[in-house]
Amino acid sequence: MTAPTAGQATTGVPVRFLPMGESAWLVETDDIDAVLALDAALAPLADAGDGVWAEVDDLVPAARTLLVVARRTTNLADLATQIRAAATRADRSGPAQTAGDVEIPVRYDGPDLAEVAERTGLSPAEVVAAHTGTPWRVGFGGFAPGFAYLVGGDPRLEVARRSEPRTKVPVGAVGLAGEFSGIYPRESPGGWQLIGSTDVVLWDADRDPPALLAPGTTVRFIEAGS
């Protein structure tokens, strides 16, 4: 299998192709905004299922890539051509694809709240106001079942991960890392800056779907008790 020639679309979002096995493309682009724009352009095609899109089973966004999973019978060269054509039409400045709204009540009692305030030049109250004041959206999932990387928040909250990760982060911990916010769906090691906690269940195998936060979901944090 030969990958298409690398290059960038003249309009829309730039795309580069890497083969993933015999039935998928890993489509690279510049950043999460480009990934979300590309996902929004491809999802209606996959849902309609016309032509080669009838053999596309899944779209999996990540920070700078979109995995397009097809079947072994798929003509991947034709699929790449269709993806590239859709990429030229993708509008990263347009409204983000939405999968509904979810409100998350948070107790802003995290052990790193004061450090985040110091790093950002905000007061702890201003950190809380910034975290709750701007809607976030689910860019992609990963790390653990139910974990969602949230993007699009207040840019003042961008902070580096901890230099020494914790060996145990409790379930429901709300954190910041780089441009992302997220909620730990279970106890696990982790290096995010913890600013709060929530009782909301992110993953429930008996729920349909099990994950509360799907890509495209708008997440609004609310200070618990306010």
Side-chain angles (χ1 to χ4, degrees):
M1 178 175 57
T2 302
T5 302
Q8 294 188 346
T10 56
T11 59
V13 300
V15 289
R16 297 166 292 276
F17 292 85
L18 292 173
M20 293 290 288
E22 297 180 353
S23 56
W25 285 118
L26 185 67
V27 186
E28 293 184 324
T29 189
D30 288 342
D31 53 34
I32 184 62
D33 288 336
V35 170
L36 293 175
L38 182 61
D39 186 44
L42 299 189
L45 299 174
D47 289 343
D50 294 330
V52 71
W53 293 102
E55 298 196 351
V56 172
D57 290 329
D58 204 2
L59 302 173
V60 185
R64 290 176 176 80
T65 61
L66 181 67
L67 180 64
V68 182
V69 182
R71 302 170 192 170
R72 290 186 177 274
T73 56
T74 305
N75 185 319
L76 289 184
D78 286 350
L79 178 58
T81 298
Q82 293 294 319
I83 294 170
R84 190 180 295 280
T88 66
R89 301 188 297 270
D91 182 9
R92 62 187 299 166
S93 65
Q97 183 182 8
T98 180
D101 291 1
V102 174
E103 292 187 346
I104 305 289
V106 176
R107 297 178 296 275
Y108 285 93
D109 54 3
D112 299 323
L113 180 59
E115 182 175 348
V116 169
E118 181 178 355
R119 289 189 179 198
T120 58
L122 303 172
S123 69
E126 288 171 332
V127 170
V128 174
H131 197 246
T132 58
T134 302
W136 299 75
R137 69 184 186 279
V138 179
F140 55 97
F143 168 62
F147 188 88
Y149 288 82
L150 307 179
V151 300
D154 192 314
R156 295 177 297 169
L157 296 180
E158 186 168 332
V159 289
R161 288 171 169 79
R162 291 175 53 84
S163 57
E164 294 185 9
R166 292 180 170 89
T167 57
K168 287 186 179 180
V169 175
V171 60
V174 178
L176 298 167
E179 65 184 293
F180 304 110
S181 187
I183 307 167
Y184 284 77
R186 65 186 185 191
E187 182 181 282
S188 63
W192 288 42
Q193 304 282 356
L194 305 182
I195 62 171
S197 58
T198 183
D199 296 325
V200 171
V201 177
L202 278 296
W203 178 266
D204 182 350
D206 295 326
R207 185 168 57 199
D208 184 22
L212 178 66
L213 304 179
T217 301
T218 297
V219 176
R220 302 176 189 274
F221 291 106
I222 300 172
E223 187 172 6
S226 62

